Amino acid sequence: MSSVHTPISETAQYLQAIRERVGTIVVGQDVVVERMLIALLTSGHLLLEGMPGLAKTLLVNTLARAMHLNFRRIQFTIDLLPSDILGSEILDERTGNFRTHQGPVFTNLLLADEINRAAPKVQGALLEAMQERKVTIGSQSYSLPTPFLVIATQNPIEQSGTFELPEAQLDRFMMCHRLGYPTPVEEEEILRRNLKLGVKREGSGAVARTEFDMIKEEAIGSENDLISAMEAANHIHVSDVFLKHVVDVIERTRKHPDLEVGCSPRAGISILKASRARALLHGRDYVVPEDLFALAEDVMLHRIRLTYEALAEGKTGANVLRQILEASVS
């Protein structure tokens, strides 16, 4: 698959094949897969909010294997140190010299599980690596692998003993998607698939299979296919009308009386990039207003903050954002 000359339809088929592969392992959650692909195609980072047990690790693992990307997971805890993520210099007792040990951040897909459970200095170390895409260990700087995508998770309920990400750090995430529970039909399919997993032999014993055992090892396409898709997303047409519409919506968040903090310029850039990638995923070579409306909550909601008065009146950020979007088209 060549880069710029690859037809949009061919690239869309490649991306659709990846979504279908993930769908063979994870039931539902198609929107989450779309958001992960958007982040990957645009070199953004994704924050997922959802209860435990919604297959977040399985999703990222399956996507990584389908695209032949390296995957690592870090469980964030209060005693985690920056060096546990970034790496450190270790004294080699045999030679008497220091050698560099690169941490788990050196990967393509990094799942930062429960990021708000780590101390602020650890969060800051990861977010700096996300922004600069390089890590300094000792006196030496190392570039992170490409592509590099961080998918961080937060539990929206258990807030005891956590360190909430401040606005400036939340702004580093291109999108924040809120995962819901599967529908009853999807949950029934999950249970049916689980009944068929069976057991596998290991050595002289056996162990029950899990969904992770069902992930296929062979990748769909090649690294060049992913590069071509990233280049194709960067060539999706954005009209002046769409551009002004984005600026208008961003501006309204800064002037709305119920909002203490509106969206940053980075939000507008993220909407444009995400809209281009979404258009590609839907087989279009141009963006449409539907892309903005579909992505607005994930891109903008974590970047705005309600005033104290609005909170006291029981208003929510989602409702205010919906008002802004409706007003922008009236």
Side-chain angles (χ1 to χ4, degrees), residues 237-248 272 287 289 292:
H237 176 67
V238 178
S239 68
D240 288 342
V241 174
F242 186 89
L243 194 73
K244 290 178 180 177
H245 194 182
V246 171
V247 172
D248 178 56
L272 287 182
V287 297
L292 169 59

Side-chain angles (χ1 to χ4, degrees), residues 182-245:
T183 65
V185 173
E186 291 170 344
E187 189 126 25
E188 187 176 322
E189 177 62 17
I190 292 171
L191 298 180
R192 289 188 189 284
R193 289 189 186 185
N194 193 272
L195 288 173
K196 298 176 182 176
L197 289 176
V199 298
K200 62 177 179 181
R201 293 185 179 276
E202 282 192 358
S204 58
V207 65
R209 288 181 186 273
T210 70
E211 291 84 354
F212 289 93
D213 296 312
M214 309 309 290
I215 301 175
K216 295 180 180 177
E217 292 294 338
E218 66 272 19
I220 297 173
S222 64
E223 292 179 356
N224 283 335
D225 292 321
L226 174 57
I227 294 170
S228 297
M230 295 174 75
E231 291 177 339
N234 206 41
H235 285 85
I236 297 296
H237 176 67
V238 178
S239 68
D240 288 342
V241 174
F242 186 89
L243 194 73
K244 290 178 180 177
H245 194 182

Side-chain angles (χ1 to χ4, degrees), residues 111-178:
L111 179 62
D113 217 356
E114 297 190 284
I115 189 174
N116 55 337
R117 294 206 174 276
K121 64 180 179 181
V122 178
Q123 296 175 355
L126 176 62
L127 292 162
E128 186 177 349
M130 288 163 52
Q131 180 72 15
E132 299 184 2
R133 300 185 186 278
K134 64 180 180 181
V135 168
T136 300
I137 303 174
S139 58
Q140 186 73 35
S141 291
Y142 301 89
S143 296
L144 293 173
T146 53
F148 174 63
L149 167 62
V150 172
I151 299 176
T153 72
Q154 288 191 139
N155 182 337
I157 302 299
E158 293 182 9
Q159 297 299 319
S160 176
T162 62
F163 300 90
E164 186 178 356
L165 294 175
E167 280 81 4
Q169 295 190 352
L170 284 172
D171 196 39
R172 304 290 179 88
F173 288 95
M174 182 184 198
M175 292 179 288
C176 175
H177 184 74
R178 294 140 195 93

Side-chain angles (χ1 to χ4, degrees), residues 14 77 93 122 132 141 144 148 168-169 267-268 270 273 282 285 287 324:
Y14 159 67
T77 55
E93 295 183 355
V122 178
E132 299 184 2
S141 291
L144 293 173
F148 174 63
Q169 295 190 352
S270 295
K273 287 184 175 180
H282 287 258
D285 60 359
V287 297
I324 290 173

